[in-house]
Amino acid sequence: MLRAARDATIPGVESALRLGGERMESLLSPLIPPRRDGGGGGLYQSGKTTLLTSLISHLQHHDERAFPVGSGVRIVPPEVIETDAGFERFAFEAHRARLSRESRWPEKTAHISQYRALVRTDGTERRRARLTITDCPGERLADIPMVGRTFGEWSEWMIDVLRQGAHASHAGVFLATLDGRGGDADLLTRAYREALARLALDLTPIVSPSLFVLGERGEEVPVHGRSVDWLVEHRRVGLGEGQEFTPLDRATREAHPRLAALFERRFEAYREQTIGPLAKWMRRCSHLVVLVDVPMVLAAGPGMLRAHSRLIDQLLSSVDPGFSPAGEVLRRAAGAVGLAMPGVRKLTFVASKADQVHPDDHPRLDSLLRQLVRQAVRRHEAQAAHLDVEYFVVSAVRSADATSEGRLVARLDEQSESESDFSVSSVPEAWPADAWGEYRFARVRPRAPANEMYPPAQSGLHLVARSMLGLGARGGRR
């Protein structure tokens, strides 16, 4: 998920209105450049850190031919500025070095971090903007349903998820404990740990509280190779020992009010400490970018597809993109005097890691991405008078080439120094309805120039950058 907005607040003006209208740019940009705040998030293993690292590299060392953001448009090297309070600085240098010096993919996002810079374009389109991109661990998105919900409402949502499809088998002990002895806190927390352990080992991205698979500072806790019993004994469902909670259905909450009150306090403390800052930031933004690793979803199967669909729906519900008819009137009125109202006005969906499939299948990646998000997007389009939606197919660090025989060429493992050709599955035109079949896609080693003055090769990322910088990019529309 990536998000962008302009919000340099003018003293004396109501905080709901923020500076940044294009009409005021020529007057104000020498003093207060329009601000484009962005938050980045992607679903499970979607490649957010790699995308952001490649994007920054191209901003710093812009080559119009390799990274065209508009005819005759040049990006001046950005001036990095301090992050907002409460955010760590995005570790660009470390991630870039890992790509170029070690030929290894960047470490996954461990903390909520930011990249902030003053960005200026020259040539045929002259722009100045304070660009802020916020990145968060994908696992944190499993906690998004807590935002704006009471403990009871979150409980009902989570239990409903656990009772569906394959999730029910993973959560069977917990659901049975809830029905049979719902008033015993120790039994409930242990059974819920077992449910989350089984979900995590099955790569299901709905593990909430997400600290079950993350460290205290957001770093990933390796679960693969661990047993269910080990995770049950060593992980916690909450902020830590003595702060655990589980969802409780209505009958249990009514039958055991003291337990419900205890879990509610722990839930609220967890939400405020872990997801609260991110939620507040998201409400400030105007551009939300969501990454989805479509090949991974195909390879993982229908359970992963359902989980992604639910998370995207909950993510959009939490930010409520678009403006109502009345809100659109206010937005236009504010824009007429150079002001911008906060709130998501643009959604960009990215099918990442496109070089894992043959280029002939890229249109099908686009189609599957649209099918995945269609219902969630349409719900908000129907309620909004103004909402832009874009779709892109992207390789942030293009690391595989295609042959005329439909195969790919890349380095396939950590030890190999030479490239080989191999076959991958074809991408279907639609998500399988009945027989899912088996899909195989290879994880390859990254290609990045050892000289960091030269950004990695990419495809499609320049269109995302053009859109984020407000340069009039037009991706595939709904």
Side-chain angles (χ1 to χ4, degrees):
M1 165 190 72
L2 296 173
R3 234 185 126 110
R6 309 170 197 156
D7 69 352
T9 306
I10 302 175
V13 177
E14 182 178 356
S15 62
L17 299 178
R18 303 182 186 275
L19 176 68
E22 301 289 351
R23 305 180 189 193
M24 298 292 285
E25 182 172 315
S26 60
L27 173 64
L28 294 173
S29 61
L31 298 175
I32 310 177
R35 174 167 171 166
R36 297 178 180 274
D37 289 340
L43 304 187
Y44 185 75
Q45 295 185 346
S46 59
K48 301 181 307 300
T49 304
T50 298
L51 184 143
L52 183 50
T53 300
S54 181
L55 172 63
I56 295 171
S57 183
H58 281 282
L59 293 179
Q60 290 183 344
H61 305 284
H62 184 230
D63 182 330
E64 296 176 57
R65 294 167 299 177
F67 202 75
V69 293
S71 179
V73 179
R74 298 182 298 275
I75 299 174
V76 178
E79 175 187 344
V80 178
I81 56 179
E82 291 185 6
T83 62
D84 286 327
F87 292 90
E88 294 189 9
R89 179 175 172 271
F90 181 76
F92 165 72
E93 291 81 6
H95 297 317
R96 183 66 179 88
R98 189 173 168 91
L99 281 171
S100 59
R101 301 174 196 174
E102 302 178 31
S103 293
R104 298 172 65 190
W105 296 105
E107 296 282 359
K108 72 176 299 295
T109 303
H111 318 291
I112 300 177
S113 61
Q114 278 188 344
Y115 171 77
R116 299 192 69 213
L118 298 175
V119 182
R120 181 166 61 89
T121 61
D122 205 348
T124 58
E125 287 191 68
R126 294 174 176 265
R127 298 288 179 91
R128 285 169 57 88
R130 284 179 293 176
L131 177 66
T132 305
I133 304 175
T134 302
D135 185 25
C136 75
E139 290 85 353
R140 282 278 189 250
L141 296 185
D143 292 333
I144 285 292
M146 295 181 179
V147 177
R149 282 186 167 94
T150 65
F151 171 66
E153 291 169 340
W154 172 78
S155 292
E156 296 298 330
W157 181 87
M158 193 69 195
I159 290 171
D160 181 61
V161 171
L162 294 177
R163 284 176 171 159
Q164 295 194 18
H167 302 158
S169 61
H170 294 319
V173 173
F174 170 70
L175 296 174
T177 304
L178 195 63
D179 292 339
R181 299 181 62 183
D184 190 317
D186 290 338
L187 283 177
L188 282 171
T189 54
R190 185 176 183 84
Y192 194 55
R193 277 184 248 141
E194 179 180 334
L196 295 192
R198 295 184 183 280
L199 290 168
L201 291 172
D202 198 32
L203 304 181
T204 306
I206 58 167
V207 176
S208 180
S210 61
L211 281 183
F212 187 80
V213 290
L214 296 173
E216 293 182 359
R217 302 183 66 245
E219 68 275 15
E220 183 181 20
V221 174
V223 298
H224 304 300
R226 301 291 191 183
S227 67
V228 170
D229 290 341
W230 187 94
L231 291 170
V232 169
E233 293 298 330
H234 292 84
R235 305 306 302 160
R236 294 294 176 261
V237 286
L239 292 175
E241 194 75 39
Q243 292 294 320
E244 292 186 282
F245 63 93
T246 77
L248 300 176
D249 59 14
R250 180 185 297 274
T252 302
R253 297 196 305 273
E254 291 177 349
H256 304 279
R258 293 180 64 181
L259 176 66
L262 175 65
F263 279 9
E264 181 176 21
R265 289 194 299 270
R266 294 175 177 179
F267 164 85
E268 291 174 350
Y270 176 90
R271 182 181 59 191
E272 179 61 25
Q273 183 168 323
T274 60
I275 202 67
L278 178 63
K280 292 175 183 176
W281 175 259
M282 290 172 64
R283 288 193 288 268
R284 295 174 53 187
C285 301
S286 66
H287 187 179
L288 179 67
V289 184
V290 180
L291 279 64
V292 180
D293 182 354
V294 174
M296 185 273 292
V297 178
L298 274 171
M304 186 67 77
L305 176 64
R306 286 192 297 269
H308 273 62
S309 178
R310 278 184 168 272
L311 283 177
I312 290 170
D313 184 58
Q314 290 304 313
L315 176 62
L316 297 190
S317 295
S318 70
V319 300
D320 193 19
F323 289 95
S324 66
E328 177 65 9
V329 172
L330 290 174
R331 187 189 72 85
R332 291 179 179 274
V337 295
L339 299 171
M341 295 177 62
V344 176
R345 300 189 294 274
K346 180 188 289 186
L347 296 173
T348 296
F349 294 97
V350 174
S352 59
K353 305 182 184 179
D355 57 346
Q356 289 191 357
V357 308
H358 195 276
D360 290 347
D361 277 343
H362 285 185
R364 296 184 179 184
L365 283 184
D366 179 89
S367 177
L368 292 182
L369 178 66
R370 291 170 186 260
Q371 293 169 38
L372 174 61
V373 305
R374 179 182 298 150
Q375 288 187 342
V377 169
R378 284 181 175 175
R379 187 177 304 113
H380 292 281
E381 284 180 326
Q383 300 169 357
H386 180 84
L387 178 62
D388 292 331
V389 185
E390 306 175 309
Y391 302 86
F392 297 104
V393 175
V394 171
S395 292
V397 177
R398 199 176 70 237
S399 301
D401 295 321
T403 71
S404 58
E405 293 78 23
R407 296 168 67 83
L408 297 181
V409 177
R411 287 189 292 177
L412 281 174
D413 54 59
E414 293 291 335
Q415 287 74 38
S416 175
E417 293 299 327
S418 61
E419 295 188 337
S420 58
D421 69 305
F422 55 93
S423 62
V424 294
S425 297
S426 297
V427 177
E429 295 183 356
W431 294 102
D434 297 311
W436 191 272
E438 185 175 6
Y439 294 92
R440 292 181 177 272
F441 304 97
R443 177 178 172 85
V444 302
R445 292 183 66 181
R447 292 176 184 164
N451 186 341
E452 295 177 12
M453 293 176 58
Y454 296 91
Q458 58 82 36
S459 64
L461 182 61
H462 61 291
L463 299 176
V464 178
R466 181 170 168 82
S467 178
M468 294 181 68
L469 293 173
L471 295 170
R474 290 294 182 267
R477 295 285 173 167
R478 52 182 173 270

